[in-house]
């Protein structure tokens, strides 16, 4: 598609976004229900995606959410909004210029389409959050290092539309300055101590989703940041614990090598693990269930199919809310379950 046709198509689509309740409306409704009932609180399910780059999977995930009344959280890696010129200028802490562990956008047209997906996802009530930029392991980074990477993320999004010769939609700058609330560290590699948390607070984040917990757990507040953790859940014939994330299943099931021949088996194993983790909380204390995914369909799409089955099974229930992290926070606060002590991470 030519640049002019793509731009016209995108502009027209931005004029007629899909109707959806606002994030605040959804969160308030769920929070009020949690506060005003003596029955069990709603079971919260938080689905998130790291990277948020492949445009086909943007469309697929948005359709899945719309079909099931769900809101997701997208942890965006900002190098996927960098063209060749921007690539040359990017330098992560302690790295050479123009280097990224996950690459960069391949064309301006790709960036244009991605921006349309990001903006529409925001309008549909999903969380747009940060996964930093070049996907480097920051466990040894200082507060200044993290602050530099966060500043690059912010600057990249501020200039994203003009950088590919598109007129940005009204409200984009407000989203970038005030609407990006969360962060997840690449590789879940959070800096030990207070450096990363301090940098997050200075950058305007309110929550972090970089921890791993021994099972589903309530978030904790640390240094003014609400910290969430992906849980270990039982999986497979021996029910060995594994992080509730597609990549970890990919490594366990096929040693990180693509195996489409056994895709159906991997899908069933993943779905069983997800559903049993959900059922345990749903019939028990209703601790929020968090599951993480990537914009890569590993093992022939096994884990995305398992996710679709789970979302289709549970999100329509009256006593379940499939929400973003930002929507979950007021619900958890209304339940009086937010603790101001460090989480029991791994």
């Amino acid at each position: 598609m030519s640049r002019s046709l793509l731009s016209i198509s995108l502009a027209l689509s931005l004029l007629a976004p899909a109707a959806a309740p606002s994030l605040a409306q959804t969160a308030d409704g769920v929070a009020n229900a949690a506060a005003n009932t003596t029955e069990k609180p709603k079971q919260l399910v938080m689905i998130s995606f790291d990277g948020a780059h492949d445009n086909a999977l943007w469309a697929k995930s948005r359709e899945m959410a719309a079909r099931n009344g769900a809101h997701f959280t997208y942890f965006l890696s900002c190098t996927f909004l960098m063209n060749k010129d921007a690539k040359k200028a990017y330098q992560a802490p302690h790295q050479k210029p123009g280097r990224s562990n996950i690459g960069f956008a391949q064309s301006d047209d790709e960036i244009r389409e991605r921006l349309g997906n990001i903006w529409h996802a925001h309008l549909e009530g999903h969380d747009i959050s940060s996964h930093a930029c070049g996907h480097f392991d920051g466990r040894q980074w200082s507060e200044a290092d993290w602050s530099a990477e966060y500043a690059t993320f912010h600057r990249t999004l501020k200039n994203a539309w003009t950088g590919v010769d598109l007129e940005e939609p009204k409200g984009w700058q407000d989203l970038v300055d005030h609407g990006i609330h969360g962060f997840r560290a690449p590789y879940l590699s959070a800096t030990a101590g207070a450096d990363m948390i301090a940098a997050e607070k200075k950058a305007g984040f309110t929550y972090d989703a970089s921890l791993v917990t021994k099972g589903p757990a309530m978030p904790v507040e640390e240094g003014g940041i609400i910290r969430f953790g992906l849980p270990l859940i039982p999986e497979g014939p021996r029910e060995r614990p594994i992080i509730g994330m597609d990549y970890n299943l990919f490594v366990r099931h096929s040693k990180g090598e693509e195996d489409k021949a056994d895709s159906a088996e991997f899908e069933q194993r993943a779905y069983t693990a997800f559903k049993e983790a959900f059922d345990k909380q749903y019939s028990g204390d209703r601790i929020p269930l968090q599951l993480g995914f990537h914009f890569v369909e590993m093992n022939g799409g096994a884990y995305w199919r398992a996710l679709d089955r789970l979302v289709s099974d549970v999100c329509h229930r009256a006593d379940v809310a499939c929400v973003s992290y930002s929507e979950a926070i007021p619900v958890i606060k209304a339940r009086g379950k937010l603790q101001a002590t460090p989480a029991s991470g791994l």
Side-chain angles (χ1 to χ4, degrees), residues 105-336:
Q106 298 300 301
S107 70
D108 284 4
D109 280 351
E110 177 192 312
I111 295 174
R112 294 184 184 104
E113 185 177 356
R114 183 167 296 119
L115 285 170
N117 275 307
I118 293 168
W119 182 242
H120 273 86
H122 165 66
L123 295 177
E124 291 158 4
H126 302 289
D127 237 6
I128 307 301
S129 290
S130 173
H131 200 42
C133 292
H135 209 275
F136 293 102
D137 188 335
R139 72 183 66 195
Q140 301 298 326
W141 284 7
S142 67
E143 179 181 333
D145 292 334
W146 282 112
S147 291
E149 186 79 342
Y150 296 153
T152 300
F153 180 92
H154 184 261
R155 183 170 59 252
T156 300
L157 267 67
K158 289 281 283 185
N159 301 319
W161 292 76
T162 56
V164 290
D165 302 322
L166 279 181
E167 182 177 353
E168 69 183 38
K170 183 179 179 180
W172 177 262
Q173 294 297 321
D174 185 64
L175 167 64
V176 175
D177 288 338
H178 307 294
I180 297 176
H181 304 295
F183 173 73
R184 175 174 284 156
Y187 307 108
L188 303 179
S189 289
T191 304
D195 280 6
M196 190 183 81
I197 299 299
E200 286 177 327
K201 190 172 183 179
K202 288 181 180 178
F205 297 124
T206 58
Y207 73 84
D208 173 275
S210 307
L211 295 174
V212 176
T213 56
K214 293 179 180 178
M218 288 293 182
V220 297
E221 190 166 5
E222 183 178 349
I225 298 293
I226 297 172
R227 305 196 70 187
F228 292 89
L230 288 171
L232 291 174
I233 60 174
E235 189 277 334
R238 292 186 287 167
E239 296 194 333
R240 291 182 296 150
I242 193 169
I243 297 174
M245 198 171 217
D246 56 358
Y247 178 75
N248 302 81
L249 292 164
F250 179 52
V251 171
R252 173 175 287 183
H253 292 167
S254 61
K255 299 181 179 179
E257 298 290 336
E258 188 67 15
D259 178 2
K260 293 183 180 180
D262 295 311
S263 183
E265 176 189 345
F266 299 147
E267 173 192 344
Q268 186 57 44
R269 281 184 57 167
Y271 172 75
T272 298
F274 298 159
K275 186 60 162 52
E276 288 182 353
F278 170 86
D279 288 343
K280 182 176 180 180
Q281 297 309 319
Y282 184 72
S283 62
D285 294 334
R286 298 212 169 171
I287 296 171
L289 176 64
Q290 303 167 61
L291 297 172
F293 297 82
H294 291 78
F295 265 29
V296 179
E297 291 188 297
M298 306 166 199
N299 280 338
Y303 311 113
W304 273 64
R305 293 197 306 273
L307 169 63
D308 198 340
R309 289 170 61 185
L310 178 76
V311 170
S312 299
D313 284 350
V314 308
C315 292
H316 293 286
R317 301 185 190 184
D319 54 354
V320 174
C322 293
V323 297
S324 70
Y325 280 97
S326 290
E327 292 171 324
I329 289 170
V331 181
I332 292 168
K333 285 183 175 180
R335 290 171 62 179

